[in-house]
Amino acid sequence: MYKTLIFILFPIISLSQGFKTVKDTTALKQKIESMSKSTISIESDFTQEKNLSMLSEKIISKGHFVFKKENLLRWEYNTPSKYLILINKDKVIIKDEKKTTKYDMNSNKVFKEINDIMLSCVQGTIFKSNKFKTSYFESDKYYKLELIPQVKNMKDSFKKINLYFDKTVTSVAKVEMIESNEDLTLLDFTNKKLNAAIAETIFIVK
Amino acid sequence: MQQLRKPYLLLSSFFLISFFVSCRISKFKNLKQCNRVVITNKAFEPVLNKTKATKYKASIDVLKNHLTGIIIVKQTDSVSTHIIFVTEIGMKMFDFEWKNNGMNAAYVFEPLNKPTLIKALLSNFKQMLLLDVFDKSAGYCSNKKVKSYYELEGYKQRYIIADSLKGIFSQNIFNKNRKSCFISYKFATETNTYTQIKCTQFGLVKIKTELNKIDE
C-alpha cells in the first residue's frame, strides 16, 4: 500500500518541485551519451552538503576535483579537513592530514563500488548501470535523472540518487544522494572547465 | 664487557618498565585526603554543549584501519544525545545514542559492525564526552603525586584529573590495576570548550581516537 502510494504520488511530488517527466527520453539519453564521449577532462570546484535528518544538522565541505579519461580522478577536500582521494586506473590512494594509504581496487569491493559511482556520476553515465532504475525529469533549468537502486548492497546505502544536468547537457551540475534514513548528500559543482589540458602527474602521490 | 651488556640492558629495562607501570597505578593510591562529592558542572566544564551541536575533525585507528571524518555531538532532547561519525565523502559510519544513562548503537556501517569493536567504541565515546560523569558521586582526593582528582564511584578504578577553571586534564581508567584507557584533553579557557580530546584504549582491541574541535 505504502509503495503504491509513493508510486502514485511520485510524479506529483516531482511536478510540485517544478519538474515534469521528459517525453523524449531517447533524445536525452543520446545527448548525455554524446556529452560523455566528447568529455576528455573535467576540472571543477565542489561544495558537498551532508544533511543529517536525525540532528537537523549540515556538514559543509569544499574542494576541487579533476577528472581525466580513462579512470583518472583527483578528488580533493580543502575544508574543513584536508583529504585527498586519487583514483589512478585500478589504484586508489587516500591521503588525510596524517596518513597516506594505498588500495588496490580489485582487492577491495567497497572501493570498487565507490569508484564506479564517483566516476560514473562525474561523467553522467551512471544511468547506464543496471544497478539502477532510471526516471527522467526536466525543469526550466535542469534535466534530472532519478536513479533508484535495484541491487541489495546499493539499496542498503541509498534510497535514491538524483543527477542534474544543465539544459545544454554539457556536464553534471549537481548530484543528490538520498540514503534510506533520509540523510542527504548534495554535491554542487561550480567553476567548471571542460576538456582543458591536464598533466597526468597530478594523479600521482609520491 | 660486551657479553655483560645484553643481560644488563634487559634487566634495567625490566626494572624501568616495572617502575613506570607501578608509578602509573600508584599515582592514585596512598590518599592524603578524600572527600565524598557529587560531580556537577562547577567541578569542571562538561564536553557536551546542551544548546548546540559540536563538530570535531575525527580520526579513529582500530584493527589496522585508519578512519577519518567529522563527528557531530548533539543533544536532541532532555534525555538523548547523538554522536554521529561521517567520513569526508559523506558516508555515515556510526550513530551512537546516549539515552537514559545508556549508550547504544542506533546505526553502524556494516563492514564496521563487529560486536567487540562497537562495544569498545561505545565505551570510549561515553567516557571521552563525559556522558556518564555528571550528577555522579565521587571521591575528591589528593595525594603527594596529584594535587586533586576525582575517583568515580560505581567504577572500579576511574580517575579524573581536573580543575574547575582549566577543565579536565585527563581521565585514567584501570582494569585490575592495568591501565585500560587514557584520555587527555586540551581546554581553551577563553571559550570554555575542549579543543582536543585524545583517547587511547589498551588491551585486546587497541583503539586510538583523536577529536579536534571545528570552530564555526
Side-chain angles (χ1 to χ4, degrees):
Chain A
M1 179 61 193
Y2 179 68
K3 279 182 182 168
T4 319
L5 201 64
I6 286 176
F7 188 72
I8 295 164
L9 288 174
F10 200 63
I12 300 166
I13 293 163
S14 295
L15 272 174
S16 69
Q17 291 171 336
F19 281 92
K20 58 179 195 266
T21 312
V22 172
K23 281 176 190 162
D24 190 355
T25 55
T26 316
L28 177 57
K29 280 183 205 173
Q30 277 170 357
K31 276 185 192 173
I32 298 170
E33 193 83 43
S34 136
M35 171 209 87
S36 172
K37 273 184 188 159
S38 63
T39 307
I40 299 154
S41 72
I42 312 169
E43 196 171 350
S44 171
D45 293 332
F46 68 84
T47 302
Q48 179 181 294
E49 192 180 296
K50 175 86 185 175
N51 289 277
L52 294 161
S53 57
M54 164 63 79
L55 302 188
S56 324
E57 281 293 327
K58 284 179 186 174
I59 302 171
I60 295 170
S61 314
K62 289 183 180 185
H64 186 79
F65 91 85
V66 186
F67 163 77
K68 189 175 181 181
K69 262 183 184 166
E70 295 284 329
N71 287 358
L72 295 172
L73 181 72
R74 184 184 174 98
W75 189 273
E76 193 167 17
Y77 293 88
N78 296 319
T79 58
S81 308
K82 293 265 181 204
Y83 190 79
L84 169 69
I85 303 169
L86 271 184
I87 296 173
N88 193 328
K89 287 160 183 130
D90 56 352
K91 297 272 182 287
V92 181
I93 296 157
I94 293 178
K95 189 180 179 187
D96 61 44
E97 288 170 357
K98 286 181 179 170
K99 202 172 174 180
T100 303
T101 318
K102 293 179 184 179
Y103 299 92
D104 188 335
M105 199 107 63
N106 300 319
S107 62
N108 195 316
K109 244 184 166 182
V110 178
F111 275 113
K112 179 97 181 69
E113 209 74 69
I114 292 170
N115 170 63
D116 288 350
I117 293 179
M118 283 180 99
L119 288 177
S120 54
C121 273
V122 163
Q123 293 181 88
T125 52
I126 195 168
F127 75 97
K128 290 201 288 186
S129 164
N130 55 11
K131 290 173 182 167
F132 299 96
K133 182 176 175 271
T134 312
S135 305
Y136 301 84
F137 300 93
E138 66 180 317
S139 70
D140 294 342
K141 218 174 161 191
Y142 297 113
Y143 284 113
K144 179 169 86 169
L145 271 57
E146 286 186 347
L147 303 134
I148 313 283
Q150 299 297 300
V151 289
K152 197 192 170 295
N153 282 356
M154 235 14 131
K155 276 183 189 172
D156 291 344
S157 306
F158 301 110
K159 185 176 163 187
K160 188 165 71 177
I161 297 176
N162 291 333
L163 217 58
Y164 293 81
F165 295 87
D166 50 54
K167 284 305 273 267
T168 51
V169 195
T170 49
S171 63
V172 176
K174 53 184 179 174
V175 181
E176 275 174 355
M177 288 174 271
I178 300 134
E179 293 166 37
S180 323
N181 55 10
E182 296 300 327
D183 284 357
L184 171 87
T185 306
L186 174 68
L187 279 165
D188 203 350
F189 302 109
T190 50
N191 304 324
K192 272 178 277 183
K193 282 183 208 163
L194 298 173
N195 297 332
I198 289 160
E200 295 211 356
T201 46
I202 66 159
F203 303 100
I204 299 165
V205 169
K206 285 150 199 165
Chain B
M1 191 64 188
Q2 280 288 334
Q3 282 173 327
L4 273 174
R5 190 171 286 170
K6 204 175 171 186
Y8 172 75
L9 273 173
L10 277 171
L11 203 65
S12 56
S13 307
F14 172 76
F15 280 118
L16 201 66
I17 290 165
S18 306
F19 174 74
F20 192 53
V21 170
S22 63
C23 246
R24 281 177 165 184
I25 295 162
S26 66
K27 193 174 175 180
F28 302 100
K29 303 287 177 189
N30 305 318
L31 306 175
K32 206 164 97 183
Q33 195 187 340
C34 213
N35 302 318
R36 198 167 179 273
V37 294
V38 172
I39 297 179
T40 66
N41 58 7
K42 283 179 185 160
F44 45 81
E45 195 65 36
V47 175
L48 182 68
N49 184 326
K50 291 194 172 191
T51 55
K52 65 172 195 168
T54 311
K55 291 175 189 160
Y56 299 93
K57 282 200 258 179
S59 75
I60 302 175
D61 287 276
V62 60
L63 307 169
K64 292 180 186 172
N65 293 306
H66 176 66
L67 305 168
T68 59
I70 310 282
I71 279 184
I72 298 189
V73 183
K74 187 178 182 181
Q75 184 165 341
T76 47
D77 58 51
S78 60
V79 290
S80 314
T81 296
H82 280 261
I83 299 122
I84 299 184
F85 180 31
V86 179
T87 64
E88 281 83 355
I89 60 165
M91 283 171 78
K92 190 156 75 178
M93 290 284 112
F94 61 69
D95 174 0
F96 293 163
E97 186 185 28
W98 170 255
K99 192 172 187 178
N100 300 323
N101 290 320
M103 189 81 150
N104 292 299
Y107 169 83
V108 179
F109 179 58
E110 202 43 48
L112 202 69
N113 205 354
K114 312 273 183 279
T116 327
L117 169 64
I118 297 305
K119 194 181 163 197
L121 283 173
L122 286 167
S123 170
N124 280 177
F125 276 93
K126 178 178 71 180
Q127 291 160 348
M128 276 192 287
L129 302 172
L130 308 172
L131 297 172
D132 58 342
V133 166
F134 291 95
D135 301 325
K136 298 280 160 62
S137 296
Y140 184 54
C141 314
S142 65
N143 63 18
K144 275 184 185 173
K145 284 173 185 150
V146 191
K147 196 179 153 196
S148 60
Y149 63 92
Y150 295 88
E151 181 175 5
L152 286 182
E153 282 180 17
Y155 296 89
K156 279 180 186 166
Q157 296 158 310
R158 185 172 170 190
Y159 306 95
I160 295 174
I161 303 176
D163 181 288
S164 59
L165 297 174
K166 293 174 187 167
I168 290 192
F169 301 112
S170 68
Q171 273 197 77
N172 298 263
I173 302 150
F174 296 91
N175 185 14
K176 293 175 186 167
N177 288 341
R178 285 187 176 188
K179 190 164 274 189
S180 63
C181 189
F182 176 73
I183 307 166
S184 66
Y185 297 82
K186 274 187 188 166
F187 185 72
T189 45
E190 33 326 327
T191 53
N192 263 358
T193 53
Y194 294 92
T195 53
Q196 187 185 66
I197 306 171
K198 278 182 177 183
C199 173
T200 308
Q201 162 87 44
F202 304 98
L204 280 176
V205 185
K206 290 179 179 61
I207 307 172
K208 274 192 174 183
T209 306
E210 183 174 329
L211 307 180
N212 287 290
K213 190 173 177 289
I214 298 170
D215 292 318
E216 289 180 299

